[in-house]
Amino acid sequence: MSTQGEIVELTRTAEALPATDGSSQVWLDRYTHSVMQTFGTPQRVLVRGEGPYVWDADGKKYLDLLGGIATNSLGHAHPLLVAAVTAQLTTLGHVSNFFASAPQVALAERLLQVAAAPQGSSVFFANSGTEANEAAFKMARRTGRTKIVSTYGAFHGRTMGALALTAKEAYRAPFEPLPGGVEFVPYGDLGALGRAVDGATAAVFLEPLQGENGVVPAPDGYLAGAREVTADHGALLVLDEVQTGVGRTGEWFAHQNPRHDGVVPDVMTLAKGLGGGIPVGAVVAFGPANSALLGAGQHGSTFGGNPVASAAGLAVLHAIERDGLLENVRTVGAHLRAGVESLGHPLVEGVRGEGLLLGIALTAPVGPQVVQAALAAGFIVNAARPDTVRLAPPLVLTAAQADTFVAALPEILTSADRGVAP
């Protein structure tokens, strides 16, 4: 039974949070006058979520097929995640990195377990994928070499170091000069990679599947070939699994798909789905030599590995295992792909991707129009490229829920092609 003090405290908590009433337009006006316009005008103002659904300030319901860009792995307001974070906050919310906490240690151990990392491996915790890749960049510099090889179409983050690894000119140009020594090669071209990597190469950064480039999977044999090339020259193989990791493709990590021939990286970076919506990133160093690349005092993070974020990560990993979500991702992902491809719509060229990270390839550059038409119809999707619509829904999505999107897609596509809302 709640005490009077607890009731008063709950009342004060409610007073500290913003009321969610008011129309979307009212909130958008307030947004314009208070938030930096880094992301442009928001598409909607969302106020509530449950499972794979969200509601906007005007009360409209949407099936969230983007999942916070592959982040809300358990959907919205998942009971286990809510309980884990709440319970942790009632005991220990934050400690500095002068101290350890039980959730931090337990999450590191669990990540090493599901990554099948060898003895002597270790984890560094950050708050985002960008930060994880920034740490991996620093690990590469600690080899004593400075040359880095990345790929065209790659996206590794927006900080200066992570941006240096990212090939998109529109992101890079406003902030140049960026940290140097990065060379880009075509993604999926093992010959080009082999020619670029030499004895001066510190590391190769690769995504098992390029999400921001339109959901482009690595060809069969590519990651295994990259592993061989880097090993031959003593360079690190860094796999960026920020978007593809933690069950997104139907394996714990995308590089564990059997078609990648059991490749084991030197370093793996994670974030997004690991926290289920709570900010957490991680760097997994495979083996003692790679674990030793960042010594005491050579890197840090105020909030990285804090007890609340670590509790969230543990809850996500537990729910994925307990509820059989890896199998659900494989099954529902295949069902969703087959459903879209079976439509035979003239605007659909095909579907790329793995698990629940899918890209609907279009025959015309109408991706942005598809996004708007889908919103009008009650679905949240994203145009990773003008000719590609990206789907990255919560891992809890059911086949029946996916079917509602497939059923609505023909009219969405037709409306997008005409430039009108359905």
Side-chain angles (χ1 to χ4, degrees):
M1 184 174 180
S2 298
T3 66
Q4 184 63 34
E6 289 173 332
I7 293 172
V8 170
E9 192 57 38
L10 286 171
T11 302
R12 289 174 178 168
T13 301
E15 290 173 352
L17 296 174
T20 56
D21 54 349
S23 69
S24 290
Q25 191 56 54
V26 168
W27 282 105
L28 287 173
D29 289 344
R30 292 173 62 178
Y31 180 98
T32 301
H33 291 93
S34 59
V35 181
M36 281 191 186
Q37 300 302 295
T38 312
F39 303 106
T41 302
Q43 297 174 3
R44 296 289 189 275
V45 177
L46 303 179
V47 298
R48 184 169 69 88
E50 182 179 340
Y53 296 101
V54 292
W55 286 260
D56 69 17
D58 297 322
K60 183 169 181 177
K61 179 182 178 181
Y62 304 85
L63 179 60
D64 183 4
L65 294 173
L66 187 57
I69 311 181
T71 296
N72 297 103
S73 45
L74 303 182
H76 301 273
H78 191 281
L80 180 62
L81 182 58
V82 171
V85 169
T86 302
Q88 187 57 50
L89 272 171
T90 63
T91 56
L92 190 66
H94 176 75
V95 295
S96 77
N97 50 32
F98 294 122
F99 302 91
S101 70
Q104 174 196 42
V105 175
L107 180 58
E109 292 173 338
R110 185 69 176 122
L111 283 174
L112 294 175
Q113 182 183 45
V114 295
Q119 189 70 27
S121 300
S122 61
V123 179
F124 173 82
F125 288 112
N127 307 287
S128 67
T130 293
E131 290 183 27
N133 284 325
E134 195 81 20
F137 198 142
K138 291 176 75 173
M139 292 173 72
R141 286 288 178 88
R142 287 287 295 148
T143 66
R145 304 176 182 183
T146 58
K147 180 179 176 181
I148 304 288
V149 178
S150 184
T151 59
Y152 293 113
F155 180 80
H156 296 293
R158 304 266 197 158
T159 56
M160 295 296 277
L163 188 56
L165 303 168
T166 297
K168 190 169 182 176
E169 187 63 20
Y171 293 164
R172 296 168 58 87
F175 305 103
E176 292 176 335
L178 297 168
V182 181
E183 180 178 331
F184 296 99
V185 297
Y187 183 71
D189 187 335
L190 193 55
L193 184 65
R195 291 187 293 272
V197 177
D198 54 27
T201 304
V204 172
F205 279 74
L206 294 175
E207 297 161 276
L209 189 158
Q210 289 189 330
E212 297 299 316
N213 193 33
V215 192
V216 180
D220 290 354
Y222 182 62
L223 295 187
R227 172 70 286 178
E228 184 176 349
V229 167
T230 51
D232 286 347
H233 293 280
L236 301 176
L237 176 61
V238 181
L239 294 185
D240 179 342
E241 293 249 20
V242 169
Q243 191 163 151
T244 58
V246 197
R248 173 57 50 189
T249 66
E251 307 289 342
W252 279 113
F253 308 107
H255 74 267
Q256 294 174 336
N257 188 303
R259 71 185 187 85
H260 294 309
D261 304 314
V263 64
V264 178
D266 295 296
V267 179
M268 175 174 65
T269 57
L270 303 169
K272 287 191 179 291
L274 178 57
I278 301 297
V280 56
V283 180
V284 180
F286 287 72
N290 296 321
S291 292
L293 286 172
L294 285 181
Q298 292 180 340
H299 197 50
S301 170
T302 296
F303 295 105
N306 74 79
V308 175
S310 297
L314 285 167
V316 167
L317 296 179
H318 179 69
I320 290 173
E321 183 173 53
R322 181 195 68 183
D323 299 338
L325 294 185
L326 295 181
E327 178 60 30
N328 187 69
V329 168
R330 292 190 290 267
T331 301
V332 177
H335 179 82
L336 180 53
R337 176 199 289 266
V340 173
E341 291 178 334
S342 70
L343 295 175
H345 195 282
L347 268 179
V348 176
E349 182 178 293
V351 181
R352 297 187 296 266
E354 297 174 359
L356 285 176
L357 182 55
L358 300 174
I360 303 174
L362 305 174
T363 57
V366 294
Q369 294 93 315
V370 172
V371 170
Q372 293 306 311
L375 272 174
F379 301 94
I380 296 177
V381 298
N382 163 256
R385 292 193 323 215
D387 64 352
T388 305
V389 172
R390 174 172 48 179
L391 308 178
L395 309 188
V396 298
L397 185 75
T398 67
Q401 291 162 346
D403 284 344
T404 64
F405 172 69
V406 173
L409 188 56
E411 182 61 26
I412 291 171
L413 291 169
T414 301
S415 298
D417 198 27
R418 295 172 180 163
V420 297

